[in-house]
Amino acid sequence: MVKAVQIQQFGSPEVMQVVDLPVGAVQAGQVRIRHHAVGVNFIDVYHRTGLYPNDLPLNLGMEAAGEVLEVGAGVEHLQAGDRVAYASGPLGSYTQERVMPAQNVCRLPDAISYETGAAMMLKGLTAQYLLKKCKPVEGLEPGDFVLFHAAAGGVGLIACQWAKLLGLKLIATAGSDEKCALALANGASFAINYRQDNFVQRVRDITGGKGVKVVYDSVGRDTWEGSLDCLQPFGLMITFGNASGPVPAFAPAVLAAKGSLYVTRQTLFAHTTSRERTQAMADDLFAVVADGTVNSHVEQRFALDDVRLAHEKLEARQTIGSTILLP
């Protein structure tokens, strides 16, 4: 039996309970992993509240790093004793130990700690597909302006660093001067405190009225209209989260009126449908983390028993960088 976080109903952080559950036997194609660190992400909030519905009871979490204890038949890329990390389903990473499919479990280089591995997989792979796989119709070249909301969060800080490496002029938004300074220190070219300034007007000023080629938006409802107004003609709006609530319904004609814009709603898991694709993305991420180009800032650590507090601070936007649980 191991400790795990489970919900019996959807709702506030109070619905999360730390319970004792059996690990289960390893079947073909599976591995058993002892977790050393577990990632906490906003998608976990969506699962907890039911915004992304799942069957109940539900074990939460989808990111962790640890050690392989046992390997099932047919698993060839892993063996007992391997250091590994993952960001994939099925849900249930908020636990000390688990059995799960081996397909999207990646070997973690010795140069990367378990804490960094748990903090970077979901966020880092998300930044990888956003910057490398989601391109505007006219392409994305060094010197181009892009806008990244919530840039002081876990995904945002990785994106700031990686965008600088790619030569992009990333305009960051965040909710405090402290968070803006953090985004700038991690490679953002400009930063806007959206609580003090009109980010649409500031983006227009920064870009000489042209707007940006791409907006990366995990905030959702609160930034949707303004984000569209920041795009240049044929620009790409990438919505990949709903921190402020779901984006409201809109008429496609709005996109024509605002400059023949493109909109896409992305998820990481559409990009990790095979072991080969997942490993290639992870290798790209591991390379820039191992050489120090990209750092995953672990700024909040909580015991598994304190998972409610971790979610409360995340939802209140009282966190910076990455948050992990230590089981």
Side-chain angles (χ1 to χ4, degrees):
M1 303 291 284
V2 296
K3 285 185 176 182
V5 176
Q6 187 179 82
I7 63 171
Q8 299 284 340
Q9 61 183 343
F10 300 117
S12 66
E14 285 69 29
V15 302
M16 293 186 292
Q17 303 289 331
V18 178
V19 299
D20 291 326
L21 294 176
V23 177
V26 177
Q27 305 296 325
Q30 296 181 329
V31 290
R32 181 162 61 99
I33 303 171
R34 176 185 295 130
H35 289 158
H36 288 252
V38 175
V40 177
N41 299 282
F42 225 99
I43 194 171
D44 304 340
V45 174
Y46 304 154
H47 292 144
R48 191 202 76 222
T49 61
L51 179 64
Y52 293 176
N54 290 277
D55 293 335
L56 295 171
L58 179 65
N59 300 333
L60 293 177
M62 57 194 320
E63 176 184 44
E67 177 187 358
V68 174
L69 298 180
E70 186 179 353
V71 174
V75 177
E76 299 180 352
H77 68 292
L78 297 173
Q79 60 185 6
D82 280 349
R83 304 173 72 255
V84 294
Y86 66 87
S88 68
L91 302 184
S93 69
Y94 285 14
T95 185
Q96 296 171 314
E97 191 175 308
R98 74 179 301 194
V99 170
M100 67 176 296
Q103 175 177 301
N104 290 331
V105 177
C106 300
R107 293 183 64 180
L108 186 67
D110 291 340
I112 301 175
S113 71
Y114 286 123
E115 287 196 3
T116 297
M120 77 176 183
M121 285 299 285
L122 190 73
K123 303 170 188 70
L125 293 177
T126 297
Q128 198 274 350
Y129 84 71
L130 289 173
L131 293 170
K132 296 290 193 73
K133 298 179 180 296
C134 300
K135 298 295 183 67
V137 67
E138 295 186 334
L140 201 56
E141 303 294 338
D144 285 341
F145 284 99
V146 300
L147 175 65
F148 206 105
H149 289 300
V155 176
L157 288 180
I158 293 174
C160 286
Q161 297 170 75
W162 216 330
K164 182 178 181 179
L165 179 65
L166 297 173
L168 301 175
K169 294 181 180 179
L170 185 145
I171 304 171
T173 74
S176 70
D177 290 342
E178 177 190 15
K179 290 184 176 183
C180 285
L182 186 60
L184 290 169
N186 279 273
S189 299
F190 304 89
I192 302 167
N193 183 339
Y194 65 81
R195 297 189 190 277
Q196 295 180 354
D197 297 316
N198 181 318
F199 74 82
V200 177
Q201 185 57 54
R202 288 280 288 116
V203 166
R204 290 293 171 180
D205 292 342
I206 291 167
T207 62
K210 294 181 179 179
V212 299
K213 273 193 171 181
V214 185
V215 175
Y216 305 94
D217 191 344
S218 63
V219 177
R221 181 184 57 213
D222 290 353
T223 50
W224 174 255
E225 290 289 342
S227 292
L228 295 181
D229 290 335
C230 288
L231 286 165
Q232 61 185 242
F234 309 111
L236 175 62
M237 172 68 176
I238 303 173
T239 172
F240 66 102
N242 310 283
S244 66
V247 171
F250 68 97
V254 169
L255 303 178
K258 291 182 180 293
S260 298
L261 305 179
Y262 292 79
V263 173
T264 182
R265 178 61 168 93
Q266 294 282 319
T267 68
L268 168 63
F269 312 108
H271 294 275
T272 56
T273 53
S274 70
R275 192 182 74 79
E276 291 74 20
R277 288 171 62 92
T278 304
Q279 191 65 57
M281 292 174 67
D283 288 345
D284 194 18
L285 172 63
F286 294 159
V288 295
V289 172
D291 70 9
T293 303
V294 171
N295 294 301
S296 182
H297 296 266
V298 182
E299 301 292 345
Q300 295 84 210
R301 297 170 176 83
F302 296 89
L304 195 67
D305 288 337
D306 294 326
V307 64
R308 293 180 181 179
L309 180 60
H311 273 229
E312 287 170 0
K313 289 189 174 294
L314 184 65
E315 287 184 276
R317 302 188 188 183
Q318 294 176 355
T319 64
I320 57 176
S322 297
T323 299
I324 61 171
L325 301 173
L326 298 174

